[in-house]
mmCIF file of all heavy atoms in Angstrom:
data_model
loop_
_atom_site.group_PDB
_atom_site.id
_atom_site.type_symbol
_atom_site.label_atom_id
_atom_site.label_comp_id
_atom_site.label_asym_id
_atom_site.label_seq_id
_atom_site.Cartn_x
_atom_site.Cartn_y
_atom_site.Cartn_z
ATOM 1 N N SER A 104 -83.457 119.340 -162.160
ATOM 2 C CA SER A 104 -82.670 118.033 -162.038
ATOM 3 C C SER A 104 -83.681 116.902 -161.970
ATOM 4 O O SER A 104 -83.360 115.805 -162.656
ATOM 5 C CB SER A 104 -81.861 118.084 -160.828
ATOM 6 O OG SER A 104 -80.858 119.134 -160.822
ATOM 7 N N LEU A 105 -84.814 117.057 -161.379
ATOM 8 C CA LEU A 105 -85.844 116.012 -161.321
ATOM 9 C C LEU A 105 -86.428 115.750 -162.732
ATOM 10 O O LEU A 105 -86.583 114.579 -163.205
ATOM 11 C CB LEU A 105 -86.952 116.397 -160.381
ATOM 12 C CG LEU A 105 -88.060 115.340 -160.255
ATOM 13 C CD1 LEU A 105 -87.492 114.003 -159.763
ATOM 14 C CD2 LEU A 105 -89.106 115.871 -159.279
ATOM 15 N N LEU A 106 -86.562 116.865 -163.479
ATOM 16 C CA LEU A 106 -87.049 116.739 -164.909
ATOM 17 C C LEU A 106 -86.009 116.020 -165.774
ATOM 18 O O LEU A 106 -86.442 115.099 -166.601
ATOM 19 C CB LEU A 106 -87.341 118.178 -165.442
ATOM 20 C CG LEU A 106 -87.705 118.219 -166.959
ATOM 21 C CD1 LEU A 106 -88.947 117.371 -167.188
ATOM 22 C CD2 LEU A 106 -87.875 119.683 -167.381
ATOM 23 N N ALA A 107 -84.765 116.354 -165.580
ATOM 24 C CA ALA A 107 -83.764 115.628 -166.319
ATOM 25 C C ALA A 107 -83.590 114.122 -165.968
ATOM 26 O O ALA A 107 -83.312 113.285 -166.771
ATOM 27 C CB ALA A 107 -82.364 116.364 -166.142
ATOM 28 N N THR A 108 -83.871 113.891 -164.686
ATOM 29 C CA THR A 108 -83.770 112.512 -164.223
ATOM 30 C C THR A 108 -84.906 111.650 -164.845
ATOM 31 O O THR A 108 -84.741 110.522 -165.249
ATOM 32 C CB THR A 108 -83.928 112.462 -162.689
ATOM 33 O OG1 THR A 108 -82.956 113.214 -162.087
ATOM 34 C CG2 THR A 108 -83.855 111.001 -162.089
ATOM 35 N N LEU A 109 -86.095 112.274 -164.990
ATOM 36 C CA LEU A 109 -87.245 111.529 -165.521
ATOM 37 C C LEU A 109 -87.488 111.695 -166.975
ATOM 38 O O LEU A 109 -88.527 111.288 -167.419
ATOM 39 C CB LEU A 109 -88.461 112.013 -164.760
ATOM 40 C CG LEU A 109 -88.539 111.818 -163.177
ATOM 41 C CD1 LEU A 109 -89.750 112.461 -162.577
ATOM 42 C CD2 LEU A 109 -88.318 110.356 -162.786
ATOM 43 N N ALA A 110 -86.572 112.354 -167.623
ATOM 44 C CA ALA A 110 -86.748 112.710 -168.999
ATOM 45 C C ALA A 110 -87.133 111.600 -169.921
ATOM 46 O O ALA A 110 -86.616 110.440 -169.778
ATOM 47 C CB ALA A 110 -85.448 113.344 -169.594
ATOM 48 N N TRP A 111 -88.228 111.771 -170.813
ATOM 49 C CA TRP A 111 -88.713 110.723 -171.596
ATOM 50 C C TRP A 111 -88.321 110.883 -173.105
ATOM 51 O O TRP A 111 -88.562 109.949 -173.842
ATOM 52 C CB TRP A 111 -90.244 110.729 -171.481
ATOM 53 C CG TRP A 111 -90.868 112.043 -171.725
ATOM 54 C CD1 TRP A 111 -91.315 112.478 -172.891
ATOM 55 C CD2 TRP A 111 -91.088 113.049 -170.796
ATOM 56 N NE1 TRP A 111 -91.811 113.758 -172.771
ATOM 57 C CE2 TRP A 111 -91.725 114.188 -171.525
ATOM 58 C CE3 TRP A 111 -90.823 113.200 -169.449
ATOM 59 C CZ2 TRP A 111 -92.025 115.373 -170.817
ATOM 60 C CZ3 TRP A 111 -91.066 114.415 -168.713
ATOM 61 C CH2 TRP A 111 -91.771 115.417 -169.470
ATOM 62 N N ASP A 112 -87.762 111.979 -173.379
ATOM 63 C CA ASP A 112 -87.288 112.171 -174.796
ATOM 64 C C ASP A 112 -86.236 113.267 -174.759
ATOM 65 O O ASP A 112 -86.020 113.903 -173.750
ATOM 66 C CB ASP A 112 -88.413 112.588 -175.722
ATOM 67 C CG ASP A 112 -89.181 113.858 -175.359
ATOM 68 O OD1 ASP A 112 -88.671 114.592 -174.478
ATOM 69 O OD2 ASP A 112 -90.270 114.050 -175.809
ATOM 70 N N PRO A 113 -85.532 113.512 -175.885
ATOM 71 C CA PRO A 113 -84.524 114.523 -175.924
ATOM 72 C C PRO A 113 -84.971 115.968 -175.503
ATOM 73 O O PRO A 113 -84.207 116.624 -174.814
ATOM 74 C CB PRO A 113 -83.900 114.551 -177.385
ATOM 75 C CG PRO A 113 -84.248 113.145 -177.848
ATOM 76 C CD PRO A 113 -85.540 112.785 -177.156
ATOM 77 N N ALA A 114 -86.114 116.296 -175.961
ATOM 78 C CA ALA A 114 -86.640 117.658 -175.640
ATOM 79 C C ALA A 114 -86.786 117.878 -174.141
ATOM 80 O O ALA A 114 -86.367 118.910 -173.620
ATOM 81 C CB ALA A 114 -87.929 117.864 -176.346
ATOM 82 N N SER A 115 -87.375 116.909 -173.426
ATOM 83 C CA SER A 115 -87.593 117.024 -171.963
ATOM 84 C C SER A 115 -86.163 117.080 -171.229
ATOM 85 O O SER A 115 -86.073 117.818 -170.315
ATOM 86 C CB SER A 115 -88.473 115.977 -171.479
ATOM 87 O OG SER A 115 -87.919 114.601 -171.753
ATOM 88 N N PHE A 116 -85.300 116.237 -171.765
ATOM 89 C CA PHE A 116 -83.939 116.186 -171.056
ATOM 90 C C PHE A 116 -83.250 117.540 -171.219
ATOM 91 O O PHE A 116 -82.691 118.116 -170.351
ATOM 92 C CB PHE A 116 -83.123 115.069 -171.668
ATOM 93 C CG PHE A 116 -81.758 114.983 -171.142
ATOM 94 C CD1 PHE A 116 -81.476 114.633 -169.787
ATOM 95 C CD2 PHE A 116 -80.593 115.509 -171.831
ATOM 96 C CE1 PHE A 116 -80.168 114.666 -169.221
ATOM 97 C CE2 PHE A 116 -79.346 115.496 -171.350
ATOM 98 C CZ PHE A 116 -79.136 115.086 -170.074
ATOM 99 N N LEU A 117 -83.310 118.079 -172.479
ATOM 100 C CA LEU A 117 -82.521 119.323 -172.769
ATOM 101 C C LEU A 117 -83.219 120.463 -172.065
ATOM 102 O O LEU A 117 -82.568 121.393 -171.620
ATOM 103 C CB LEU A 117 -82.454 119.593 -174.327
ATOM 104 C CG LEU A 117 -81.585 118.634 -175.089
ATOM 105 C CD1 LEU A 117 -81.594 118.909 -176.585
ATOM 106 C CD2 LEU A 117 -80.199 118.678 -174.591
ATOM 107 N N ALA A 118 -84.552 120.486 -171.920
ATOM 108 C CA ALA A 118 -85.278 121.487 -171.157
ATOM 109 C C ALA A 118 -84.803 121.459 -169.731
ATOM 110 O O ALA A 118 -84.565 122.514 -169.123
ATOM 111 C CB ALA A 118 -86.743 121.270 -171.243
ATOM 112 N N GLY A 119 -84.661 120.275 -169.155
ATOM 113 C CA GLY A 119 -84.196 120.145 -167.731
ATOM 114 C C GLY A 119 -82.806 120.701 -167.653
ATOM 115 O O GLY A 119 -82.457 121.351 -166.673
ATOM 116 N N ARG A 120 -81.917 120.373 -168.620
ATOM 117 C CA ARG A 120 -80.498 120.913 -168.563
ATOM 118 C C ARG A 120 -80.474 122.350 -168.667
ATOM 119 O O ARG A 120 -79.709 123.056 -167.936
ATOM 120 C CB ARG A 120 -79.656 120.237 -169.737
ATOM 121 C CG ARG A 120 -79.378 118.795 -169.580
ATOM 122 C CD ARG A 120 -78.459 118.527 -168.437
ATOM 123 N NE ARG A 120 -77.109 118.918 -168.689
ATOM 124 C CZ ARG A 120 -76.206 119.116 -167.819
ATOM 125 N NH1 ARG A 120 -76.467 118.982 -166.515
ATOM 126 N NH2 ARG A 120 -74.939 119.462 -168.171
ATOM 127 N N ALA A 121 -81.369 122.989 -169.541
ATOM 128 C CA ALA A 121 -81.371 124.452 -169.690
ATOM 129 C C ALA A 121 -81.842 125.108 -168.372
ATOM 130 O O ALA A 121 -81.290 126.121 -167.940
ATOM 131 C CB ALA A 121 -82.231 124.845 -170.856
ATOM 132 N N LEU A 122 -82.872 124.526 -167.764
ATOM 133 C CA LEU A 122 -83.354 125.131 -166.473
ATOM 134 C C LEU A 122 -82.330 124.884 -165.331
ATOM 135 O O LEU A 122 -82.304 125.733 -164.414
ATOM 136 C CB LEU A 122 -84.803 124.421 -166.214
ATOM 137 C CG LEU A 122 -85.857 124.802 -167.089
ATOM 138 C CD1 LEU A 122 -87.117 123.937 -166.798
ATOM 139 C CD2 LEU A 122 -86.193 126.313 -167.026
ATOM 140 N N GLN A 123 -81.606 123.851 -165.396
ATOM 141 C CA GLN A 123 -80.514 123.592 -164.365
ATOM 142 C C GLN A 123 -79.567 124.826 -164.540
ATOM 143 O O GLN A 123 -79.104 125.378 -163.542
ATOM 144 C CB GLN A 123 -79.828 122.394 -164.667
ATOM 145 C CG GLN A 123 -80.412 121.052 -164.052
ATOM 146 C CD GLN A 123 -79.567 119.868 -164.275
ATOM 147 O OE1 GLN A 123 -78.967 119.755 -165.327
ATOM 148 N NE2 GLN A 123 -79.549 118.922 -163.273
ATOM 149 N N GLY A 124 -79.191 125.098 -165.805
ATOM 150 C CA GLY A 124 -78.293 126.139 -166.025
ATOM 151 C C GLY A 124 -78.756 127.528 -165.568
ATOM 152 O O GLY A 124 -77.983 128.298 -164.997
ATOM 153 N N LEU A 125 -80.089 127.795 -165.771
ATOM 154 C CA LEU A 125 -80.652 129.005 -165.277
ATOM 155 C C LEU A 125 -80.651 129.080 -163.773
ATOM 156 O O LEU A 125 -80.360 130.146 -163.155
ATOM 157 C CB LEU A 125 -82.076 129.050 -165.858
ATOM 158 C CG LEU A 125 -82.738 130.464 -165.854
ATOM 159 C CD1 LEU A 125 -81.917 131.364 -166.854
ATOM 160 C CD2 LEU A 125 -84.161 130.446 -166.377
ATOM 161 N N GLY A 126 -80.968 127.923 -163.122
ATOM 162 C CA GLY A 126 -80.875 127.957 -161.692
ATOM 163 C C GLY A 126 -79.448 128.126 -161.139
ATOM 164 O O GLY A 126 -79.268 128.814 -160.209
ATOM 165 N N ALA A 127 -78.503 127.540 -161.844
ATOM 166 C CA ALA A 127 -77.096 127.733 -161.417
ATOM 167 C C ALA A 127 -76.684 129.144 -161.619
ATOM 168 O O ALA A 127 -75.920 129.680 -160.823
ATOM 169 C CB ALA A 127 -76.213 126.849 -162.293
ATOM 170 N N ALA A 128 -77.193 129.864 -162.619
ATOM 171 C CA ALA A 128 -76.831 131.285 -162.785
ATOM 172 C C ALA A 128 -77.332 132.139 -161.758
ATOM 173 O O ALA A 128 -76.727 133.177 -161.367
ATOM 174 C CB ALA A 128 -77.371 131.769 -164.163
ATOM 175 N N ALA A 129 -78.377 131.729 -161.048
ATOM 176 C CA ALA A 129 -78.895 132.442 -159.874
ATOM 177 C C ALA A 129 -78.153 131.984 -158.583
ATOM 178 O O ALA A 129 -77.899 132.878 -157.740
ATOM 179 C CB ALA A 129 -80.462 132.191 -159.685
ATOM 180 N N ILE A 130 -77.833 130.713 -158.464
ATOM 181 C CA ILE A 130 -77.226 130.229 -157.244
ATOM 182 C C ILE A 130 -75.773 130.729 -157.111
ATOM 183 O O ILE A 130 -75.426 131.198 -155.976
ATOM 184 C CB ILE A 130 -77.171 128.652 -157.266
ATOM 185 C CG1 ILE A 130 -78.586 128.089 -157.127
ATOM 186 C CG2 ILE A 130 -76.355 128.181 -156.064
ATOM 187 C CD1 ILE A 130 -78.668 126.648 -157.403
ATOM 188 N N VAL A 131 -75.024 130.710 -158.138
ATOM 189 C CA VAL A 131 -73.571 130.946 -158.034
ATOM 190 C C VAL A 131 -73.209 132.355 -157.556
ATOM 191 O O VAL A 131 -72.529 132.612 -156.532
ATOM 192 C CB VAL A 131 -72.794 130.552 -159.289
ATOM 193 C CG1 VAL A 131 -71.353 130.993 -159.205
ATOM 194 C CG2 VAL A 131 -72.878 129.060 -159.491
ATOM 195 N N PRO A 132 -73.652 133.415 -158.270
ATOM 196 C CA PRO A 132 -73.268 134.801 -157.846
ATOM 197 C C PRO A 132 -73.968 135.178 -156.517
ATOM 198 O O PRO A 132 -73.280 135.835 -155.714
ATOM 199 C CB PRO A 132 -73.760 135.718 -159.067
ATOM 200 C CG PRO A 132 -74.878 134.902 -159.710
ATOM 201 C CD PRO A 132 -74.512 133.466 -159.512
ATOM 202 N N THR A 133 -75.250 134.801 -156.330
ATOM 203 C CA THR A 133 -75.870 135.208 -155.037
ATOM 204 C C THR A 133 -75.261 134.385 -153.883
ATOM 205 O O THR A 133 -75.151 134.926 -152.793
ATOM 206 C CB THR A 133 -77.307 135.001 -155.069
ATOM 207 O OG1 THR A 133 -77.642 133.562 -155.465
ATOM 208 C CG2 THR A 133 -78.029 135.881 -156.113
ATOM 209 N N GLY A 134 -74.884 133.164 -154.018
ATOM 210 C CA GLY A 134 -74.258 132.350 -153.031
ATOM 211 C C GLY A 134 -72.931 133.021 -152.625
ATOM 212 O O GLY A 134 -72.634 133.067 -151.457
ATOM 213 N N MET A 135 -72.123 133.299 -153.659
ATOM 214 C CA MET A 135 -70.818 133.965 -153.346
ATOM 215 C C MET A 135 -71.013 135.343 -152.672
ATOM 216 O O MET A 135 -70.310 135.687 -151.722
ATOM 217 C CB MET A 135 -70.082 134.147 -154.686
ATOM 218 C CG MET A 135 -69.433 132.910 -155.147
ATOM 219 S SD MET A 135 -68.001 132.340 -154.201
ATOM 220 C CE MET A 135 -66.794 133.623 -154.713
ATOM 221 N N SER A 136 -72.065 136.128 -153.105
ATOM 222 C CA SER A 136 -72.318 137.423 -152.410
ATOM 223 C C SER A 136 -72.704 137.182 -151.036
ATOM 224 O O SER A 136 -72.317 138.055 -150.113
ATOM 225 C CB SER A 136 -73.412 138.065 -153.259
ATOM 226 O OG SER A 136 -73.011 138.450 -154.553
ATOM 227 N N LEU A 137 -73.603 136.220 -150.788
ATOM 228 C CA LEU A 137 -74.034 135.953 -149.373
ATOM 229 C C LEU A 137 -72.811 135.583 -148.531
ATOM 230 O O LEU A 137 -72.729 135.901 -147.280
ATOM 231 C CB LEU A 137 -75.060 134.879 -149.340
ATOM 232 C CG LEU A 137 -76.425 135.316 -149.803
ATOM 233 C CD1 LEU A 137 -77.402 134.057 -150.036
ATOM 234 C CD2 LEU A 137 -77.139 136.216 -148.816
ATOM 235 N N LEU A 138 -71.890 134.801 -149.091
ATOM 236 C CA LEU A 138 -70.745 134.395 -148.354
ATOM 237 C C LEU A 138 -69.839 135.587 -147.960
ATOM 238 O O LEU A 138 -69.404 135.763 -146.856
ATOM 239 C CB LEU A 138 -69.924 133.338 -149.174
ATOM 240 C CG LEU A 138 -68.677 132.695 -148.497
ATOM 241 C CD1 LEU A 138 -68.572 131.261 -149.027
ATOM 242 C CD2 LEU A 138 -67.392 133.458 -148.678
ATOM 243 N N THR A 139 -69.586 136.473 -149.023
ATOM 244 C CA THR A 139 -68.675 137.599 -148.720
ATOM 245 C C THR A 139 -69.381 138.674 -147.896
ATOM 246 O O THR A 139 -68.633 139.438 -147.263
ATOM 247 C CB THR A 139 -68.183 138.159 -150.093
ATOM 248 O OG1 THR A 139 -69.346 138.548 -150.879
ATOM 249 C CG2 THR A 139 -67.342 137.222 -150.828
ATOM 250 N N THR A 140 -70.625 138.753 -147.853
ATOM 251 C CA THR A 140 -71.305 139.759 -146.954
ATOM 252 C C THR A 140 -71.578 139.192 -145.654
ATOM 253 O O THR A 140 -71.771 139.930 -144.627
ATOM 254 C CB THR A 140 -72.662 140.250 -147.609
ATOM 255 O OG1 THR A 140 -73.475 139.119 -147.932
ATOM 256 C CG2 THR A 140 -72.352 141.030 -148.920
ATOM 257 N N THR A 141 -71.693 137.878 -145.486
ATOM 258 C CA THR A 141 -71.874 137.279 -144.182
ATOM 259 C C THR A 141 -70.582 137.214 -143.357
ATOM 260 O O THR A 141 -70.560 137.467 -142.117
ATOM 261 C CB THR A 141 -72.442 135.775 -144.306
ATOM 262 O OG1 THR A 141 -73.652 135.853 -144.979
ATOM 263 C CG2 THR A 141 -72.652 135.065 -142.978
#
Side-chain angles (χ1 to χ4, degrees):
S104 298
L105 181 60
L106 173 60
T108 303
L109 302 175
W111 52 93
D112 59 16
S115 59
F116 176 74
L117 293 177
R120 291 291 287 163
L122 291 172
Q123 277 182 326
L125 200 62
I130 292 168
V131 174
T133 53
M135 283 286 288
S136 295
L137 287 167
L138 188 149
T139 55
T140 53
T141 299

